Amino acid sequence: MRQPLDLDTEHHRSPDLRAALASLADQGETERGAVFTRPEVVACLLDLAGYTVDQPLHTWRILEPSFGAGDFLLAAVERLLTSFAAFGGLPSAALQLREAVRAVEVHPASFAATREALHWRLVTWGASRRDAGALCDSWLLRDDFLLAQLTGRFDVVVGNPPYVRQERIAGPLLAEYRRRYATIYDRADLYVPFFERGLQLLRDGGRLAFICANRWLKNKYGGPLRGMIARDFHLSHYIDMAGTDAFQSEVIAYPAITVIRRGEGSVTRLARRPDVTTELSELTRLLSAPGPVLDERVEEVEHAVRGSEPWLLDAADQLRVIRRLERDFPEVEEADCKVGIGVATGADRVFIGDHAALPVEDSRKLPLLMARDLQDGAIVWGGKGIVNPFEADGSLASLDRYPAFGAYIREHADVLCKRHVARKSPSWYRTIDRVYAELTGTPKLLIPDIKGEPMVVFDEGKFYPHHNLYYVTSSTWDMTALATVLRSSIAVLFVSTYCVKMAGGFLRFQAQYLRRIRVPRWEAVPEAQRAALIAAAPTDRAAIDHAAFAAYGLTAAEARTAQRAASAALVQGRASVDPALTPASTLAIS
């Protein structure tokens, strides 16, 4: 028989909310974001959370917020029973464990199957069928964790929260989530409020241990959650699980194990991409060990969490270089540079076409550069142009003043009026982004978004960039010299540290990450270093790095770190470490 939702809370919910929740409960594994965890990973999370059999677990409270097939729940109960016996507990006293476990699941079939498995395990342990049933009823709740009524605090919250995007959540349910959880910001996935509520339910000193996608660590939408953790919690452990077999099925997301404790702390222990079958158990022991860990597989980073800022959990030596450069140099936009993005139109097939053939006045079109026009570090223009609906002052060009433009726009009125930007604005024929015609004639550096390595191309002032191109201009910097800096391992170090990588490890050279790059002020760069930056060929990585490292005053150790980090981050055209920067070198580059 289908297990109903928790009746104590269900009658408090509106019909729309109940219907949305029922729809979520009936979805398949993919739709509801269910991903099942390998037992080695489950053991790691329980160990890092301190939920081990040498502890009096019968006096603890553990919460599993989305138990699914019972990967975490059954393993935790196994530990609980072993610990209970070690501390003198008998199966006949099973009901003493009523408060030891809480586990929530919204999916009826998963709930029923796991309850049956749990009941069988309790009976085989020696509990009576009646007591086993009573424990299952006390421990298990079929409901939505984000809405369920849960009392008291917990020593451990552990699990694998669901991977669900907002657009797959029914409107009434999403609205209720937003009302309850401040961390649902921008395009936050459903696992973000799972973190928020799980953390809220921890007692002082309690630990939350989750494995889930790592995007929130750096993405914009993770800011409120990172801020919440910085205020009242401490990131104690982090394991990068990208590329590992952490789950029982293949997933696209880059997963990570994150352990967060309620209370203060400054040091985070890190590990990266362990082999799950041969290495994870030993690595977990090292991560949990008291005192210093003398094993290169475990790193310690201080103050990795800084308010709502992205978490920098890269290698400790990389973080030291980043922090030193952030201390000594301004961000790129503070050094008289500007970072921007090209134009998005909302209707490329109307606004973009062959430049020569666009049937509008010459003053109403501009030569447009696409990402595909950047080839081997040079511009190979494909001949595209964009219709510009804006005058220099930002007003829309009159359809009557420019007859050819007006006729062309009216011909495509149906398409243009259906766009979201047209529905929310009376300016129905505007592009999504304003076109600044003067940018066409401005010298600028052009950078495509998703790349395996940085591509920085100089446009002397002939083209307008499309929306998948970012641009950098400067009122003081020599653009050739600035291009050298942005091609360097230092720039890659910043971007790879702050960005969320795409599938395949490709970097995102977006404005938000380009703005993180620190650069010297042009007036502070000596003449000899200026000349070296200008002279470095766009494809000569050794010359690029040598000139850039000198401009920044990197030590040999810092230079090696930057090159190693860049080489590891690049998907194609792997950078090679300059022989002059071998460990035997101890001289600063100047």
Side-chain angles (χ1 to χ4, degrees), residues 509-530:
F509 291 89
Q510 295 177 314
Q512 60 179 315
Y513 307 129
L514 294 172
R515 292 188 179 110
R516 293 281 185 177
I517 299 172
R518 300 296 176 122
V519 300
R521 298 189 185 277
W522 181 243
E523 61 269 22
V525 180
E527 285 296 332
Q529 294 174 9
R530 291 186 182 188

Side-chain angles (χ1 to χ4, degrees), residues 490-549:
I490 295 173
V492 176
L493 172 63
F494 273 98
V495 172
S496 64
T497 298
Y498 277 103
C499 84
V500 177
K501 294 181 178 64
M502 299 294 290
F506 285 83
L507 300 177
R508 302 299 306 269
F509 291 89
Q510 295 177 314
Q512 60 179 315
Y513 307 129
L514 294 172
R515 292 188 179 110
R516 293 281 185 177
I517 299 172
R518 300 296 176 122
V519 300
R521 298 189 185 277
W522 181 243
E523 61 269 22
V525 180
E527 285 296 332
Q529 294 174 9
R530 291 186 182 188
L533 290 170
I534 294 170
T539 58
D540 188 343
R541 182 160 294 279
I544 290 169
D545 276 353
H546 193 271
F549 294 166

Side-chain angles (χ1 to χ4, degrees), residues 121-348:
R121 180 65 189 97
L122 291 170
V123 170
T124 59
W125 170 59
S128 69
R129 289 187 174 274
R130 180 177 179 179
D131 286 353
L135 284 182
C136 287
D137 290 341
S138 177
W139 287 353
L140 306 184
L141 177 65
R142 193 172 93 71
D143 203 349
D144 179 350
F145 171 67
L146 298 180
L147 304 182
Q149 290 186 352
L150 294 166
T151 59
R153 301 270 180 165
F154 294 87
D155 299 272
V156 172
V157 178
V158 66
N160 176 8
Y163 299 59
V164 182
R165 295 187 181 278
Q166 287 185 28
E167 53 265 29
R168 287 164 52 187
I169 302 172
L173 190 56
L174 182 59
E176 181 64 15
Y177 289 161
R178 288 188 178 277
R179 186 182 71 81
R180 294 182 181 219
Y181 299 104
T183 58
I184 302 183
Y185 167 69
D186 194 54
R187 298 181 60 81
D189 285 355
L190 190 63
Y191 62 74
V192 170
F194 266 70
F195 269 95
E196 179 180 350
R197 189 170 198 207
L199 292 169
Q200 290 172 341
L201 289 169
L202 288 178
R203 68 161 178 81
D204 289 344
R207 294 189 179 190
L208 176 145
F210 277 176
I211 180 168
C212 73
N214 67 3
R215 301 181 68 84
W216 69 277
L217 304 181
K218 296 181 180 181
N219 259 355
K220 175 182 177 182
Y221 69 60
L225 176 57
R226 294 192 299 266
M228 171 187 173
I229 293 168
R231 287 190 299 273
D232 299 312
F233 301 89
H234 166 54
L235 175 65
S236 62
H237 298 87
Y238 175 82
I239 306 178
D240 176 6
M241 299 294 286
T244 68
D245 295 325
F247 304 106
Q248 297 180 22
S249 58
E250 187 173 343
V251 298
I252 297 175
Y254 285 93
I257 291 172
T258 309
V259 183
I260 303 167
R261 181 177 60 82
R262 181 183 284 276
E264 296 182 351
S266 61
V267 176
T268 301
R269 285 187 172 176
L270 311 175
R272 307 179 194 287
R273 305 186 179 188
D275 184 286
V276 171
T277 58
T278 64
E279 189 181 13
L280 186 58
S281 176
E282 171 65 10
L283 192 60
T284 303
R285 186 189 65 79
L286 292 171
L287 286 165
S288 305
V293 178
L294 303 178
D295 190 297
E296 62 181 8
R297 293 172 296 175
V298 175
E299 300 177 55
E300 293 189 346
V301 174
E302 291 193 5
H303 306 295
V305 176
R306 291 188 173 190
S308 61
E309 287 288 294
W311 287 1
L312 305 187
L313 301 175
D314 300 271
D317 57 347
Q318 297 177 33
L319 185 56
R320 283 193 293 271
V321 174
I322 287 282
R323 294 303 189 205
R324 203 277 284 178
L325 295 177
E326 288 178 337
R327 184 189 70 234
D328 292 350
F329 296 98
E331 291 182 346
V332 64
E333 290 199 324
E334 295 173 343
D336 301 315
C337 301
K338 177 185 177 182
V339 179
I341 187 172
V343 60
T345 70
D348 279 4

Side-chain angles (χ1 to χ4, degrees), residues 343-409:
V343 60
T345 70
D348 279 4
R349 66 186 181 91
V350 175
F351 285 104
I352 296 174
D354 181 79
H355 182 262
L358 283 171
V360 299
E361 291 82 0
D362 287 346
S363 62
R364 299 267 55 84
K365 59 183 177 181
L366 300 167
L368 185 72
L369 204 65
M370 315 289 284
R372 61 177 174 267
D373 297 334
L374 306 186
Q375 300 178 17
D376 297 324
I379 294 174
V380 183
W381 184 43
K384 294 295 185 183
I386 183 169
V387 175
N388 178 14
F390 291 96
E391 296 283 21
D393 63 0
S395 63
L396 281 176
S398 168
L399 300 181
D400 296 326
R401 181 179 178 185
Y402 303 97
F405 168 72
Y408 182 76
I409 292 297

Side-chain angles (χ1 to χ4, degrees), residues 439-458:
L439 178 62
T440 306
T442 302
K444 52 192 168 293
L445 303 177
L446 298 167
I447 305 171
D449 179 3
I450 303 173
K451 281 290 180 183
E453 58 183 338
M455 178 182 289
V456 183
V457 179
F458 177 51

